[in-house]
Amino acid sequence: LFSPNDVRALIECCRADLSGRSEAKLTPALGPCAIHHGLGGVALRSLLTTRELVSTEALEFKQLTFQTVAESMARAEELRTLTQILSDQRIAYIALKGPALAQVVYGSVAARSSCDLDILVRPESIPIADRLLQELGYVVEPEDTSQSGRYHVAYGHPKKTTLELHWRLNSQRERAPIEQTGIWNRTRGVWLGSLEIRTLGLEDTLLHSCVHGYKHRWTRLKWSADIAYLVRRAKGLDWDAVVARADIAGCRRMLLVGVNLARMLFDVSAPAEIVRLISRDNPAEIVSKQVCNALLERRLLNPREDLLFDLRGRERVGDHAILFAQTLQRIFRFTNQDERSFWLARAFRRPVRLYRTYGVSWVKPWLRMS
Amino acid sequence: MKPLARIEHIVVEDLGVEYVVYDSRSKMAHSLNSTASWVWQHCDGNTTIEEMADLLQGQSENADALDAVRQAVQQLRNADLLVEPTAAWASTEGGPQLTRRSVMAAGALAAPVVGSILAPTAASAKSNDDFEKDKDKDKDKDKAKDKDK
């Protein structure tokens, strides 16, 4: 639906929005491109800053992006309602990503779109939060068994947005337990309309955004734009603390890749110390270039590149070994489809399944018959 | 007549020269172009339509300011963004916290437009993980089709 030129135009919109310049240009498929990358609001804001959009092409773009802006505002309203209910029940929570992040980073919930709401609660609060959500009509969605190590429960609602209730920030597969650095002691308030809600501290937001972007291979521009806006606009970001916590959580390289992408794509300047760390970290540079090329060419990584990408994101040898083992496990694990298409697998698995269910007793009738 | 902007259950997002107004009561989102935004900003319960037209006239080169303000007020009323004209404006503290900006960047007055949609709040959107899963499913389907062929 859109070309590399549209991606470049979207990047220009973000740069113009970041610097307050008025050089953003409308390209034929900027609308679909901005929506795909979750930055419809930023593109609209950037183009509307100095002029009215009146041409037919511009009105189409406006109509498209208005829809995503409306969605984001409705989601923010839902987040307000939910966090109010949690506060009333004295459940400590942290609003992750989505509207809270958009408000902190872009100064507007409409600027950046999200697909769902994410709320982190302490593990011991999960049962009561679950009960409250079910009372509100939320229904637990089927468990996703493809991920190793669950860290959230997904809820659906017939009339509302999807919600993920987290008890950890990331899956164990990411090998980046940021919560171990004490995120609950550093939460900050952010105003959504007339209500102040709790979200991650600035440094933790930066780290979490980097890990999350890396997990999704930075395939949407919104993830690198989050870093760019945060680095440019957040006042009092304690970089020493960010690096120290990244080292504890084992995600320093993910942090460096995130900041490097913000520099490469959005011309954001980072502190000299961070730039020095990036220049010393060859894999971080390689991965950043790979991401930039993939974004412009709209190319997905093949399985080999994907594994390498995953390995390059980790700096600890132990994490490499675990990741490699997990990948092997994933490769050799039989899926339902494998079983359907490969009858021999079923034949091999059946005795094991019977043994697990009935022990050796299922063999006895056969022995008697023979 | 002194129109008054409704503020209860209303959230406003500032997008440069335009506003998006979300009404959490009706779940409707309204896109206000520059002229409609300007008029809505001035619906403080103290300013008459004629006074607004005079103000607007001073900021633009268009002669039909009164007509434009009337149209805008009508559209805002249709979108349920105004309270009844008889209601008094309680206090300026309760009014919309909006920043004043230059509406007519190009110098010409645009006809007011208030576009409204029902904000899509249903679980139509999916999480990114779901997108990845769907991609995998699609790939599997494609492979199955290839095999069938």
Side-chain angles (χ1 to χ4, degrees):
Chain A
L1 284 174
F2 55 87
S3 67
N5 277 344
D6 298 308
V7 180
R8 285 193 192 97
L10 180 60
I11 293 172
E12 274 309 312
C13 281
C14 294
R15 286 180 178 179
D17 189 52
L18 267 167
S19 60
R21 286 183 282 119
S22 55
E23 292 160 17
K25 293 207 169 45
L26 185 66
T27 52
L30 181 62
C33 177
I35 289 166
H36 172 81
H37 285 288
L39 293 169
V42 168
L44 187 60
R45 185 168 76 181
S46 174
L47 289 165
L48 278 173
T49 300
T50 50
R51 62 181 180 274
E52 184 112 30
L53 298 176
V54 284
S55 67
T56 317
E57 202 177 46
L59 287 174
E60 276 175 15
F61 164 78
K62 213 165 108 177
Q63 193 59 34
L64 260 177
T65 43
F66 171 46
Q67 189 126 353
T68 61
V69 166
E71 268 180 36
S72 301
M73 292 176 84
R75 237 171 238 127
E77 180 63 26
E78 183 61 17
L79 182 63
R80 267 193 293 272
T81 310
L82 289 169
T83 51
Q84 183 68 62
I85 291 167
L86 291 174
S87 296
D88 291 346
Q89 296 292 321
R90 295 172 184 245
I91 298 174
Y93 69 87
I94 299 177
L96 304 171
K97 305 185 273 183
L101 178 69
Q103 187 64 41
V104 170
V105 174
Y106 300 85
S108 160
V109 295
R112 172 202 192 273
S113 61
S114 55
C115 306
D116 54 17
L117 294 175
D118 298 85
I119 298 177
L120 176 76
V121 296
R122 292 180 193 273
E124 60 270 24
S125 302
I126 286 287
I128 186 164
D130 173 72
R131 186 177 54 77
L132 285 170
L133 289 172
Q134 299 214 22
E135 279 171 10
L136 290 169
Y138 282 93
V139 181
V140 177
E141 291 196 331
E143 187 180 349
D144 173 16
T145 50
S146 66
Q147 287 182 345
S148 60
R150 294 188 67 213
Y151 60 107
H152 70 253
V153 191
Y155 292 86
H157 192 290
K159 288 182 181 172
K160 293 174 185 170
T161 190
T162 315
L163 167 76
E164 287 179 358
L165 187 65
H166 295 244
W167 58 91
R168 271 203 310 264
L169 281 179
N170 302 303
S171 152
Q172 279 179 334
R173 188 181 150 70
E174 307 317 318
R175 314 290 308 157
I178 304 168
E179 55 273 19
Q180 284 180 6
T181 62
I183 52 167
W184 287 98
N185 304 325
R186 300 188 294 264
T187 61
R188 68 196 296 267
V190 57
W191 287 92
L192 282 192
S194 56
L195 184 75
E196 191 185 31
I197 65 163
R198 306 305 297 174
T199 187
L200 289 171
L202 283 180
E203 292 80 13
D204 298 327
T205 301
L206 178 58
L207 275 183
H208 182 228
S209 301
C210 288
V211 173
H212 186 248
Y214 206 97
K215 172 187 160 186
H216 291 298
R217 310 299 187 243
W218 303 98
T219 45
R220 301 272 193 279
L221 263 176
K222 67 177 175 180
W223 294 314
S224 34
D226 293 344
I227 315 293
Y229 276 76
L230 195 59
V231 170
R232 172 71 68 94
R233 291 191 170 171
K235 286 170 187 155
L237 195 66
D238 184 350
W239 283 98
D240 291 338
V242 174
V243 175
R245 284 173 212 161
D247 284 342
I248 293 170
C251 58
R252 180 197 273 215
R253 185 162 295 147
M254 293 184 198
L255 168 72
L256 296 181
V257 170
V259 177
N260 203 25
L261 284 174
R263 290 172 66 222
M264 291 168 76
L265 292 168
F266 302 103
D267 275 346
V268 169
S269 56
E273 176 62 16
I274 301 294
V275 176
R276 196 175 57 80
L277 289 177
I278 292 169
S279 61
R280 279 183 184 177
D281 196 326
N282 198 30
E285 297 245 38
I286 293 171
V287 167
S288 309
K289 281 176 192 158
Q290 195 180 9
V291 169
C292 288
N293 292 337
L295 271 171
L296 289 172
E297 292 165 15
R298 294 203 64 200
R299 193 175 66 82
L300 289 173
L301 302 177
N302 63 38
R304 187 183 140 273
E305 287 171 330
D306 195 67
L307 175 60
L308 274 176
F309 192 94
D310 239 352
L311 288 170
R312 282 186 179 131
R314 274 80 178 174
E315 61 265 22
R316 296 193 289 213
V317 179
D319 288 343
H320 283 184
I322 290 170
L323 193 68
F324 195 71
Q326 282 173 342
T327 308
L328 284 178
Q329 194 188 5
R330 237 184 345 170
I331 290 169
F332 289 108
R333 187 170 57 202
F334 269 83
T335 63
N336 290 341
Q337 198 183 346
D338 291 331
E339 290 202 22
R340 275 198 299 276
S341 57
F342 188 40
W343 65 269
L344 204 58
R346 281 166 64 191
F348 278 118
R349 284 175 71 112
R350 190 171 163 74
V352 178
R353 191 172 59 80
L354 288 171
Y355 174 73
R356 277 186 181 167
T357 315
Y358 306 108
V360 288
S361 61
W362 65 276
V363 190
K364 285 177 188 167
W366 283 16
L367 291 173
R368 231 177 281 136
M369 275 164 60
S370 63
Chain B
M1 192 183 122
K2 297 175 180 175
L4 174 61
R6 188 159 71 82
I7 54 164
E8 280 181 4
H9 307 287
I10 292 287
V11 183
V12 184
E13 283 297 332
D14 188 346
L15 296 170
V17 294
E18 299 193 3
Y19 287 153
V20 176
V21 180
Y22 178 70
D23 183 352
S24 61
R25 199 172 58 185
S26 63
K27 310 288 180 204
M28 295 286 285
H30 310 278
S31 159
L32 277 55
N33 78 345
S34 58
T35 308
S37 298
W38 189 93
V39 171
W40 195 68
Q41 188 185 351
H42 285 79
C43 289
D44 56 5
N46 291 324
T47 314
T48 63
I49 287 178
E50 289 74 20
E51 285 167 346
M52 278 190 227
D54 287 344
L55 279 170
L56 193 55
Q57 188 84 57
Q59 293 182 21
S60 70
E61 295 156 2
N62 199 305
D64 296 330
L66 183 62
D67 200 32
V69 173
R70 278 195 181 129
Q71 274 186 45
V73 169
Q74 189 55 49
Q75 289 189 35
L76 290 169
R77 180 162 293 126
N78 292 345
D80 196 22
L81 293 177
L82 298 180
V83 291
E84 287 303 307
T86 49
W89 185 244
S91 73
T92 49
E93 283 176 6
Q97 302 293 307
L98 307 173
T99 53
R100 193 182 170 92
R101 92 283 302 282
S102 168
V103 177
M104 304 303 124
L109 178 64
V113 177
V114 179
S116 306
I117 58 163
L118 184 64
T121 53
S124 54
K126 295 177 175 186
S127 79
N128 295 305
D129 291 342
D130 290 340
F131 278 121
E132 300 303 325
K133 273 181 254 164
D134 283 357
K135 263 188 221 163
D136 291 343
K137 277 180 196 169
D138 290 344
K139 276 182 195 169
D140 291 344
K141 275 181 195 170
D142 291 344
K143 278 180 193 168
K145 275 181 192 171
D146 289 345
K147 268 189 185 174
D148 290 346
K149 280 176 190 173

